[in-house]
Amino acid sequence: MTSDLEQPCWSVLSDRGWEANGLTHEEARRLVHRLGGEGRHGLCIVTDEAANRMTTGSERPESTVKH
């Protein structure tokens, strides 16, 4: 049995919008760390499902973006 944290169901949001989706929690954590180091603000990790409810269609990435 795998943890939900290992499932590719996590998104990263920032003050600019939806940065990436379809990530494992570890991938999302690494992306938040990198973007924070670049001076990006408002970073958070949420499930893809929650991100869908919080963003508009124009803010959504067209496909999974892994940085």
Side-chain angles (χ1 to χ4, degrees), residues 12-21 31 35 40 43 59 61 65 67:
V12 174
L13 304 176
S14 76
D15 60 346
R16 295 183 186 178
W18 202 339
E19 298 290 340
N21 67 330
L31 179 57
L35 293 174
R40 195 77 53 92
L43 295 162
E59 294 175 318
V65 179
H67 297 269

Side-chain angles (χ1 to χ4, degrees), residues 14-42:
S14 76
D15 60 346
R16 295 183 186 178
W18 202 339
E19 298 290 340
N21 67 330
L23 305 172
T24 66
H25 197 275
E26 178 62 21
E27 291 168 332
R29 187 195 64 73
R30 288 181 188 159
L31 179 57
V32 165
H33 181 75
R34 185 174 64 79
L35 293 174
E38 294 173 1
R40 195 77 53 92
H41 298 283

